[in-house]
Amino acid sequence: MTDYTKLVLDQKYSRRGFIAAAGASAFLAACGGSTDSSSDEPAGTAEGGTATGDLLYYNWVDYVNPETYKTFAADTDVSVKKDFYESNEELQAKLQAGARGFDLIVPTGYMVQILAEADLLQELDHAEMPNVDKNIDPKFTSLPYDPDDKYSVPKDWGTTGFMYRTDMVKENPTSWSEFFELAKGPYSGQVMVLDGIPEVIGSTAVMLGYSYNTDDEAELDEVKNQLVELKPHIQAITSTNYKQSMIAGKTAMALGWNGDGAAVAAEVPAEYVIAEEGGEFWVDAYSIPVGAENPAAAYAWMDYVYDPAHNAVETEYTYYGSPLQRELLEGEIDAKVLANEDVFPPDDVLAKLEPNTVTPEGTKIRDRIWTEFKAA
Amino acid sequence: MASEPPATPTRPRKGSAGAGGPRYPGWLALPAVLWYALFFLAPLGILALFSVSERVGFSEVAYNFNLQNFSDLVDPLYGKIFLRTLELAAVGTLLTLLIGFPLAYYIARWGRRKSLLLLLIIVPFWTSMLIRTYAWLILLDPGFATFDVLRWLHLAGENPEVLFTSKAVYIGVVYTYLPLMVLPIYAALERMDWSLVEAAQDLGDGPVTAFRRITLPLAGPGIVAGSLLVFIPMLGEYLNPVILGGDKTIYVGNLIGQQFLDSRDWPFGSAMAMVVIAVMTVVVLLYVRLVSRSQRHAS
């Protein structure tokens, strides 16, 4: 069996998996609707907090420990119905096209801001989920995409860096500039990058000493030149295949997310690196969209997973960082996971990272750079 | 014609139409017309409306008539991508024809179990295109048996670089669209009277001349139809470059997808789509002229 047979047969959808397939459905959704979001009345917030009925949970694929579904259903009177999306943009397209009825969604921070500005999110009532305010690590409150914590509660968080096979790459790269040099040198043709416009352009900007979110045309022009120079050495631009290809030994280095890096390192000799220059720090957050049929059930879910014992079950499954206070997780979570710096980077490393806060103008410039990168 | 009284009283009023065949009531076309109006013309109208609108904020659309999107498209970068896409469609169509014609010829002229052979051509359509394209990842893997055989035949080197290159994209599109080329050519050759070829050879034409003067003209409409059926989807090709090409080479289909899915600039993406639709319309008009001329020749 070849490694690609394995890829096809074992295709485990990663957090942001299978974007090509998502394309068709998102396009259909995009064709269907204009963008006037009907200002649905926010559904009445239940008092007391005893939720019943169904929770329609619209989420990334494979992003919840299956155990949690079972215990949640057993411990509450709510049963979970699942639906999945493959990218933030698909989620946005669905909601903008008028899809309603979802009780709980998990957009990434920048998308929380976009959805909130488009009046597609309900304001949250923190009194309905006491565990959240009690247990959250204060550094995950008042984040720039939602400064008043009005629309979102962090689910988990991660970083964008790079990973390499320690048995193939002997130079121990620790920075973006080393990643670029090695990619253009000895490992030409064995390097993959994410199919993500903000991630690739932002990381390159950071390498050059600029902000991940720079809107400066001259700075972005330098970024473009770097990427066009890198392009001939790139094996593939993909958010779905790099993990398997790294495990198969066909790819020596890849620009990617820490959860995938941890998954690769769990199977083969490999290391995930947060580059010295910095990079992206992202948060995926719970939100309740307008038109939710059963917001009480969504509050019940958030309250439930903000219990440290329940949260540990999630973190051990996803390998993405938990936003709960660290002391609360000690003893609950597998000590090896808690000590894993890929899952929980230390504070001095985190201080170098920036969240994605790209503006519409920046998106427009980035789109053209990305096209030029791909056309090169 | 229709308003004239029937020529003879015995001919029934309904269902007669002078020189043509029987006439059916017009309402039979209603489901198809409604379908097209609802699911083809309406989305096309929305696309046209978007293409002259403007994106504001992250993905809101302001319906203020302007042609900014089209003037933004006048850019060497997009011209280059468009030319590359035209090249993919043209070369891809030619390759599909070179492989598809002999196959259709064989089935139509010498195939013993034609229906079985045709079934085999259609069988791939029973599986999702996405899954078939992923399967090619295995076939094109340098470690897979495909390359062992090619190496044994000295047709491939030790480390063949096919996957994630434009070669893989071409292999993918030829594979994907081959049935659409074979079926119309087969349909044309199936109706052909092969004794014409024999007669030409009896009268002194060599096999090549007979092929050029008899077979090719008679297969012409099939070739044109097949080429069109293959050329048009190749102009909008999305999946093969993403999966087999490693998403490294961008074609128009991917560029449009990027506007809708990544950059969320629906108006700009719509403008691109309108340009592609315009080019396709020109191609179809050329096709109609070509076919009507070849039919005049044939009669």
Side-chain angles (χ1 to χ4, degrees):
Chain A
M1 197 160 79
T2 71
D3 305 303
Y4 278 105
T5 323
K6 202 164 160 3
L7 185 155
V8 173
L9 297 180
D10 298 355
Q11 182 79 53
K12 197 177 169 187
Y13 303 109
S14 67
R15 167 174 171 268
R16 300 173 178 193
F18 238 49
I19 284 164
S25 60
F27 183 80
L28 289 177
C31 291
S34 60
T35 55
D36 58 327
S37 55
S38 54
S39 51
D40 295 53
E41 290 277 320
T45 41
E47 279 173 49
T50 43
T52 54
D54 289 333
L55 168 69
L56 184 48
Y57 189 178
Y58 193 33
N59 191 7
W60 304 85
V61 179
D62 197 25
Y63 205 25
V64 174
N65 191 332
E67 277 305 308
T68 308
Y69 289 129
K70 282 188 217 152
T71 55
F72 178 72
D75 295 354
T76 66
D77 285 332
V78 180
S79 56
V80 184
K81 286 189 174 168
K82 293 156 247 173
D83 198 354
F84 302 103
Y85 53 89
E86 327 269 353
S87 72
N88 279 304
E89 286 68 27
E90 184 189 350
L91 167 67
Q92 182 194 8
K94 280 257 176 69
L95 292 177
Q96 282 193 327
R100 293 292 179 268
F102 301 118
D103 299 311
L104 187 62
I105 55 175
V106 185
T108 303
Y110 77 97
M111 186 54 71
V112 169
Q113 190 180 353
I114 293 171
L115 294 176
E117 280 170 14
D119 294 325
L120 289 167
L121 299 182
Q122 297 191 18
E123 284 192 33
L124 299 179
D125 180 359
H126 284 248
E128 297 287 331
M129 36 183 189
N131 275 340
V132 172
D133 288 350
K134 198 171 77 189
N135 298 338
I136 193 168
D137 185 332
K139 76 178 175 212
F140 291 104
T141 59
S142 312
L143 292 167
Y145 60 82
D146 186 11
D148 302 322
D149 296 313
K150 250 163 58 176
Y151 299 104
S152 66
V153 168
K155 176 184 181 297
D156 49 29
W157 55 279
T159 60
T160 304
F162 65 87
M163 58 202 77
Y164 65 94
R165 289 278 302 240
T166 46
D167 51 347
M168 296 165 78
V169 177
K170 296 293 177 199
E171 290 85 350
N172 295 323
T174 57
S175 65
W176 285 122
S177 48
E178 283 174 281
F179 176 85
F180 270 65
E181 283 318 308
L182 292 173
K184 287 186 278 189
Y187 306 103
S188 173
Q190 299 178 65
V191 178
M192 293 189 177
V193 297
L194 284 176
D195 191 9
I197 302 178
E199 285 93 340
V200 175
I201 292 179
S203 302
T204 312
V206 166
M207 173 180 77
L208 294 169
Y210 307 131
S211 161
Y212 186 87
N213 299 302
T214 176
D215 273 358
D216 184 289
E217 292 205 26
E219 292 179 2
L220 284 171
D221 202 50
E222 276 183 67
V223 168
K224 182 193 76 190
N225 293 338
Q226 285 288 342
L227 286 174
V228 168
E229 216 180 289
L230 178 69
K231 176 63 191 301
H233 307 282
I234 293 291
Q235 186 181 11
I237 301 169
T238 168
S239 301
T240 52
N241 286 357
Y242 72 98
K243 190 167 73 177
Q244 300 294 341
S245 194
M246 290 276 302
I247 291 171
K250 294 170 189 306
T251 299
M253 302 197 296
L255 183 159
W257 293 304
N258 63 319
D260 286 341
V264 172
E267 304 237 357
V268 291
E271 188 140 3
Y272 173 80
V273 178
I274 295 177
E276 274 167 19
E277 299 98 328
E280 185 201 12
F281 156 83
W282 52 259
V283 177
D284 282 347
Y286 294 115
S287 289
I288 303 181
V290 294
E293 303 236 317
N294 194 359
Y299 286 120
W301 177 275
M302 290 187 269
D303 198 52
Y304 188 81
V305 294
Y306 259 77
D307 177 284
H310 301 149
N311 201 272
V313 174
E314 286 294 287
T315 306
E316 286 170 12
Y317 182 80
T318 61
Y319 264 67
Y320 284 111
S322 159
L324 269 63
Q325 295 162 36
R326 200 173 167 88
E327 311 84 76
L328 296 174
L329 293 171
E330 274 161 15
E332 297 288 353
I333 210 167
D334 182 350
K336 264 189 285 183
V337 176
L338 197 60
N340 186 331
E341 294 200 346
D342 293 346
V343 183
F344 292 99
D347 284 348
D348 60 317
V349 173
L350 278 181
K352 293 187 295 194
L353 305 179
E354 294 171 80
N356 176 353
T357 57
V358 174
T359 59
E361 298 71 40
T363 306
K364 183 91 187 161
I365 307 173
R366 279 167 168 72
D367 176 72
R368 199 183 178 289
I369 294 177
W370 189 248
T371 305
E372 203 150 336
F373 174 53
K374 281 199 170 177
Chain B
M1 186 58 146
S3 58
E4 282 173 16
T8 57
T10 48
R11 194 181 282 176
R13 237 190 118 76
K14 272 189 179 178
S16 72
R23 173 177 290 179
Y24 297 104
W27 57 262
L28 279 178
L30 209 60
V33 169
L34 275 179
W35 184 269
Y36 266 89
L38 208 57
F39 296 113
F40 179 71
L41 291 178
L44 196 65
I46 294 171
L47 212 58
L49 182 65
F50 274 175
S51 72
V52 292
S53 304
E54 186 189 358
R55 179 183 75 162
V56 284
F58 272 106
S59 55
E60 311 270 319
V61 177
Y63 301 100
N64 52 346
F65 183 87
N66 73 55
L67 297 172
Q68 182 69 33
N69 294 314
F70 289 96
S71 58
D72 281 353
L73 274 175
V74 184
D75 180 328
L77 176 63
Y78 301 126
K80 181 173 141 188
I81 293 168
F82 195 78
L83 285 181
R84 178 189 289 158
T85 310
L86 270 183
E87 187 191 357
L88 174 75
V91 176
T93 303
L94 194 68
L95 288 173
T96 314
L97 179 63
L98 287 177
I99 296 171
F101 188 89
L103 185 58
Y105 187 91
Y106 170 81
I107 298 175
R109 188 158 190 192
W110 291 303
R112 284 189 184 278
R113 304 176 68 179
K114 289 182 185 175
S115 44
L116 177 71
L117 291 172
L118 285 179
L119 188 70
L120 289 177
I121 302 263
I122 299 165
V123 158
F125 285 127
W126 296 356
T127 311
S128 147
M129 184 166 147
L130 188 66
I131 291 172
R132 283 184 283 137
T133 310
Y134 263 89
W136 272 98
L137 273 182
I138 302 171
L139 290 172
L140 296 179
D141 184 281
F144 192 69
T146 323
F147 287 101
D148 291 340
V149 173
L150 290 177
R151 272 186 215 108
W152 184 70
L153 292 169
H154 295 283
L155 287 175
E158 200 43 52
N159 204 3
E161 288 194 357
V162 177
L163 196 59
F164 302 145
T165 67
S166 58
K167 282 181 218 157
V169 178
Y170 277 94
I171 291 172
V173 293
V174 169
Y175 163 77
T176 305
Y177 298 114
L178 189 64
L180 299 181
M181 180 66 91
V182 171
L183 293 177
I185 297 179
Y186 169 81
L189 291 174
E190 230 296 296
R191 288 194 303 257
M192 201 176 123
D193 183 355
W194 294 102
S195 60
L196 289 173
V197 178
E198 287 161 24
Q201 288 179 330
D202 285 348
L203 293 172
D205 271 355
V208 175
T209 319
F211 176 81
R212 189 170 53 79
R213 292 176 59 180
I214 308 289
T215 315
L216 212 50
L218 287 173
I223 294 175
V224 176
S227 303
L228 198 70
L229 283 176
V230 167
F231 182 84
I232 287 179
M234 280 185 189
L235 266 188
E237 184 57 32
Y238 179 85
L239 202 57
N240 279 295
V242 169
I243 296 179
L244 298 180
D247 213 1
K248 270 195 303 188
T249 311
I250 191 166
Y251 297 96
V252 168
N254 311 98
L255 185 61
I256 295 174
Q258 183 181 314
Q259 301 311 316
F260 280 92
L261 296 175
D262 295 318
S263 300
R264 286 156 284 141
D265 192 342
W266 294 355
F268 195 38
S270 302
M272 290 176 185
M274 293 307 288
V275 171
V276 175
I277 290 169
V279 172
M280 285 181 183
T281 308
V282 171
V283 172
V284 172
L285 290 177
L286 284 174
Y287 161 76
V288 171
R289 282 194 59 175
L290 212 65
V291 167
S292 56
R293 197 185 308 158
S294 76
Q295 273 168 354
R296 240 179 289 130
H297 272 280
S299 58

